[in-house]
Amino acid sequence: NAGVTQTPKFRVLKTGQSMTLLCAQDMNHEYMYWYRQDPGMGLRLIHYSVGEGTTAKGEVPDGYNVSRLKKQNFLLGLESAAPSQTSVYFCASSYFWAGIEAFFGQGTRLTVV
Amino acid sequence: ILNVEQSPQSLHVQEGDSTNFTCSFPSSNFYALHWYRWETAKSPEALFVMTLNGDEKKKGRISATLNTKEGYSYLYIKGSQPEDSATYLCAFGPNTNAGKSTFGDGTTLTVKP
């Protein structure tokens, strides 16, 4: 049972480049989330999804887009990367409403130079 | 944006000490309060989920209490061990139409042998 898998684990981008982070879960969870973690700031919600085909904005959505075409996958896109998007990104999924007992992926460390 | 605050920000204790820290959250529209344990270079792992005022949960030497009327939860660690060193996050899940929780910034515990 893989749980929540994020790819890639590490990435370095140049300013203005684009990329997509993939989150895959095999637990049949309805709810999926993308967070970013910056030093001293805990986890901040970027976007989330309450089911296949749905997405919603979190606290810090600017500069990011997401898609949930399949229930098991939640993609996070950066169209034009900026140094301010240097962060560690975590994906999470949950069976329950409000992200109760969420399972987290191992994180993606992204550096934008 | 919901205000979820954790205190203290960091804590250093000696092995064998007991310790506790606080999570404060809005006292209205409560649905659930989660505690997560987050070790360095790993992903957050769920410790407890509490949904009822007065809930008390226990897992080994770690326990938590919940007061939804005044909007706080305490996490206690009895007889701290070096392996308890981690960041402890709380997350507030509101009873609204949004399927998401808001995280505090965490309390980082360091237990010295």
Side-chain angles (χ1 to χ4, degrees):
Chain A
N1 188 348
V4 179
T5 303
Q6 291 180 230
T7 53
K9 291 184 174 59
F10 303 93
R11 186 74 186 268
V12 178
L13 284 180
K14 292 182 180 179
T15 298
Q17 286 186 317
S18 63
M19 78 164 294
T20 300
L21 282 67
L22 171 63
C23 177
Q25 52 97 1
D26 61 2
M27 296 172 283
N28 202 34
H29 287 170
E30 290 290 340
Y31 306 98
M32 296 188 75
Y33 309 84
W34 275 108
Y35 295 92
R36 60 178 287 171
Q37 192 256 329
D38 301 297
M41 299 192 75
L43 290 168
R44 293 185 293 168
L45 183 64
I46 305 171
H47 286 280
Y48 66 104
S49 168
V50 299
E52 181 178 315
T54 75
T55 62
K57 293 180 180 180
E59 300 170 58
V60 288
D62 293 343
Y64 305 95
N65 56 75
V66 287
S67 64
R68 183 104 181 265
L69 298 179
K70 293 184 179 180
K71 186 177 184 178
Q72 64 268 32
N73 295 336
F74 194 29
L75 278 64
L76 178 71
L78 286 73
E79 290 186 346
S80 180
S84 60
Q85 294 177 303
T86 294
S87 187
V88 182
Y89 293 85
F90 285 94
C91 174
S93 72
S94 173
Y95 180 78
F96 298 101
W97 179 256
I100 291 177
E101 290 190 295
F103 289 80
F104 283 80
Q106 75 276 30
T108 296
R109 183 173 294 276
L110 175 67
T111 302
V112 183
V113 298
Chain B
I1 296 177
L2 299 172
N3 199 22
V4 179
E5 295 184 350
Q6 292 188 244
S7 61
Q9 187 175 20
S10 64
L11 200 52
H12 295 255
V13 301
Q14 290 292 134
E15 182 175 354
D17 288 349
S18 294
T19 187
N20 65 86
F21 20 95
T22 306
C23 173
S24 300
F25 52 86
S27 56
S28 59
N29 297 322
F30 178 86
Y31 183 70
L33 192 285
H34 339 205
W35 281 99
Y36 291 85
R37 171 190 162 86
W38 192 1
E39 292 181 71
T40 302
K42 295 187 177 179
S43 307
E45 293 183 348
L47 274 176
F48 303 117
V49 175
M50 293 182 285
T51 57
L52 298 175
N53 185 42
D55 255 356
E56 293 187 21
K57 300 276 185 175
K58 187 174 181 181
K59 185 182 290 188
R61 293 177 292 97
I62 304 177
S63 60
T65 60
L66 178 67
N67 184 322
T68 61
K69 293 184 179 179
E70 296 183 38
Y72 65 84
S73 175
Y74 293 137
L75 189 78
Y76 300 91
I77 302 178
K78 184 178 179 181
S80 302
Q81 300 296 308
E83 57 265 31
D84 295 328
S85 297
T87 295
Y88 292 84
L89 296 172
C90 70
F92 168 73
N95 184 21
T96 64
N97 214 21
K100 60 186 177 78
S101 298
T102 298
F103 281 83
D105 288 342
T107 293
T108 299
L109 174 67
T110 303
V111 182
K112 300 176 183 177

